[in-house]
Amino acid sequence: MAHLIFIGLVYTSMVALYALARYLKTLRRGPTPRACKQLGRSPDDRWHRWIIFLSTLPRRLVHRLVSRQGGLVEGLYVHPIKSCKAVQVQQAQVLREGLKYDRQFSFAEFQGPLHTGDKPVSSEASGWKFITQRKYERLANIRIEIWVPDPDSPHYSSEEANVRSDGVLLVRCPDPRHSASKHQRGKVFEIPYNPTVSQIKQRGYTMEKMEIWKDCPDALLIASTLQPDPPTWLTDIQAYIKSSFPLALFRVAASHERQVFRNALRKDELGYQSVVGFADAYPLHLLGLASVADLDCRLSTVVPEFSITSALRFRANIYFSGPDSYAEDSWKCIKIGKQVFHVACRTTRCELPNVDQYTGQRHRSEPSKTMKSYRNIDEGAGPGSACLGMQMVPAAELGVIKVGDPIEVLKTGTHYYLKQ
């Protein structure tokens, strides 16, 4: 009993210290978005990681005692702006396009329409092309905060602008004069998460095509440096990531999501058409921490000076513990909490994991080189294509998953990756 009381006191003290630290940080930061509260925290926030761990500890202990087969959700992450810093959340709403708030915005460069001779390649071709850390590793240092409507706020009202737009994003870019991630001073800008028709008109947002892989969907142009008077926050970001092309920020436009086919279940099997916003190919990405730990062990023997540091290099949505390394390779259908997911295919890996998500610095070859030496396991992906993690599609359009949820494997089988 004394031990339980001691643990309770330690937990209460940590919560109180965390609350005090957040309050002092709020005072330093200045005013927060009106009628809103912050959802989740940056992965850099160590206090927040501890609070999530401790608050889910009872469920973890119960799951460990009851079952070890399927695993346990250890972390949930969304990436509101594609390739920028992730946001760690304790629970997430599952939508048909993935987790709410995930990859709904993207930066893009204007490189001019695609032409062959005197004619465009396609009437759908666009001069705006999405960008990621594959080219601009410093995007990893652009911090995102999600602020959602707070019914307990004294300013809350159905007519309040931030409530009507389903909250706002605060985007923080380091000072362009500094390259290290610790220099977090610089421009902070606020954008409505899901602007209404009147807000779109008032702010001058327009619909433009943005090229992303082989798709060219209509998207909402939030701002661009091609405008007569571009916002300073955007020119600062352009300078910070060292882009020599005009830069813009886009948002996924309602009813213009990209349909998912390839390895995903078809509409008649799934009951709805699977779509994505600005995710690369599938709505959700799942990764086992044991698999990352095995890769880290291999790296420590091949390249002693290199360490993965964090599984966040792989920018998954759901990280889990429990099963042996690479157990997820054969999963075909799983249940997380009460939500069922179809595991569509393996995740083929590009060079992006070479970027450290805490510093925004790129390693010249790792972990990509080591992964390619032993994770070329999917014939469909082709020679030299390493695979790590799994791509998933929700079995239902709506649901909620939480950190600490148990994972039940419903079906296993083989996978064959289909390219675009």
Side-chain angles (χ1 to χ4, degrees), residues 338-351:
K338 297 180 180 180
Q339 187 77 14
V340 176
F341 297 89
H342 296 288
V343 184
C345 63
R346 299 185 177 100
T347 304
T348 58
R349 290 297 174 184
C350 60
E351 305 295 317

Side-chain angles (χ1 to χ4, degrees), residues 164-201:
R164 295 176 62 207
S165 64
D166 198 18
V168 299
L169 297 185
L170 287 187
V171 184
R172 300 175 180 272
C173 176
D175 192 317
R177 295 169 297 180
H178 300 288
S179 60
S181 62
K182 64 181 180 181
H183 296 284
Q184 291 301 331
R185 294 180 180 178
K187 291 292 187 299
V188 179
F189 67 97
E190 180 180 311
I191 52 176
Y193 173 70
N194 190 15
T196 63
V197 174
S198 60
Q199 289 172 335
I200 290 173
K201 184 177 181 180

Side-chain angles (χ1 to χ4, degrees), residues 6 29 32 70 85 88 92-93 128 139 163-164 216 246 282 286 290 326 359 361 378 409 413 420:
F6 175 75
R29 178 172 51 196
T32 57
K85 195 171 288 294
Q88 182 185 26
Q93 185 177 356
W128 291 109
L139 285 170
V163 174
R164 295 176 62 207
C216 199
Y282 294 90
L286 174 83
Y326 314 114
T359 65
Q361 297 177 350
D378 195 309
V409 180
Q420 283 187 321

Side-chain angles (χ1 to χ4, degrees), residues 306 313-314 349-356 366-368 371:
F306 182 86
R313 283 178 178 269
F314 302 97
R349 290 297 174 184
C350 60
E351 305 295 317
L352 195 150
N354 292 1
V355 178
D356 188 320
E366 296 293 357
S368 293
M371 282 195 293

Side-chain angles (χ1 to χ4, degrees), residues 77-348:
Y77 293 84
V78 293
H79 313 79
I81 300 182
K82 188 177 180 68
S83 252
C84 294
K85 195 171 288 294
V87 176
Q88 182 185 26
V89 295
Q90 191 163 358
Q91 65 179 38
Q93 185 177 356
V94 180
L95 306 174
R96 62 175 186 162
E97 62 267 28
L99 300 185
K100 187 175 181 180
Y101 303 111
D102 190 53
R103 295 172 170 94
Q104 292 297 293
F105 294 80
S106 177
F107 286 108
E109 289 181 330
F110 189 85
Q111 299 179 6
L114 300 177
H115 286 77
T116 299
D118 296 329
K119 296 182 178 181
V121 171
S122 166
S123 60
E124 297 295 308
S126 167
W128 291 109
K129 299 173 180 63
F130 82 112
I131 60 172
T132 70
Q133 292 177 33
R134 296 173 182 89
K135 183 177 181 181
Y136 297 110
E137 62 270 19
R138 288 190 181 183
L139 285 170
N141 290 335
I142 297 178
R143 300 165 65 96
I144 314 298
E145 294 180 7
I146 304 171
W147 290 79
V148 299
D150 181 11
D152 295 328
S153 168
H155 304 293
Y156 183 87
S157 166
S158 59
E159 298 302 315
E160 171 64 41
N162 291 344
V163 174
R164 295 176 62 207
S165 64
D166 198 18
V168 299
L169 297 185
L170 287 187
V171 184
R172 300 175 180 272
C173 176
D175 192 317
R177 295 169 297 180
H178 300 288
S179 60
S181 62
K182 64 181 180 181
H183 296 284
Q184 291 301 331
R185 294 180 180 178
K187 291 292 187 299
V188 179
F189 67 97
E190 180 180 311
I191 52 176
Y193 173 70
N194 190 15
T196 63
V197 174
S198 60
Q199 289 172 335
I200 290 173
K201 184 177 181 180
Q202 180 183 6
R203 293 171 177 257
Y205 299 163
T206 58
M207 294 291 288
E208 299 279 349
K209 290 190 178 297
M210 190 197 82
E211 192 172 324
I212 175 168
W213 300 117
K214 293 185 178 180
D215 297 321
C216 199
D218 288 320
L220 193 62
L221 177 63
I222 303 298
S224 85
T225 56
L226 289 180
Q227 295 171 339
D229 187 19
T232 55
W233 58 262
L234 189 59
T235 56
D236 278 356
I237 290 175
Q238 182 184 32
Y240 178 73
I241 66 174
K242 297 184 178 180
S243 170
S244 58
F245 293 95
L247 190 70
L249 178 65
F250 282 86
R251 194 207 188 282
V252 174
S255 74
H256 289 278
E257 299 96 342
R258 297 146 55 218
Q259 294 186 346
V260 177
F261 297 105
R262 297 163 63 191
N263 289 98
L265 292 181
R266 297 299 182 258
K267 182 177 180 179
D268 57 345
E269 300 174 279
L270 198 58
Y272 72 97
Q273 177 58 54
S274 178
V275 297
V276 291
F278 290 144
D280 281 348
Y282 294 90
L284 289 133
H285 181 199
L286 174 83
L287 181 58
L289 293 178
S291 303
V292 179
D294 180 75
L295 172 60
D296 206 9
C297 288
R298 294 170 185 268
L299 282 163
S300 65
T301 58
V302 176
V303 190
E305 73 276 10
F306 182 86
S307 174
I308 286 181
T309 305
S310 170
L312 298 185
R313 283 178 178 269
F314 302 97
R315 298 184 67 80
N317 299 115
I318 306 169
Y319 295 89
F320 69 92
S321 65
D324 294 337
S325 55
Y326 314 114
E328 64 268 29
D329 283 345
S330 62
W331 292 358
K332 297 289 286 185
C333 186
I334 64 173
K335 187 177 183 181
I336 301 177
K338 297 180 180 180
Q339 187 77 14
V340 176
F341 297 89
H342 296 288
V343 184
C345 63
R346 299 185 177 100
T347 304
T348 58

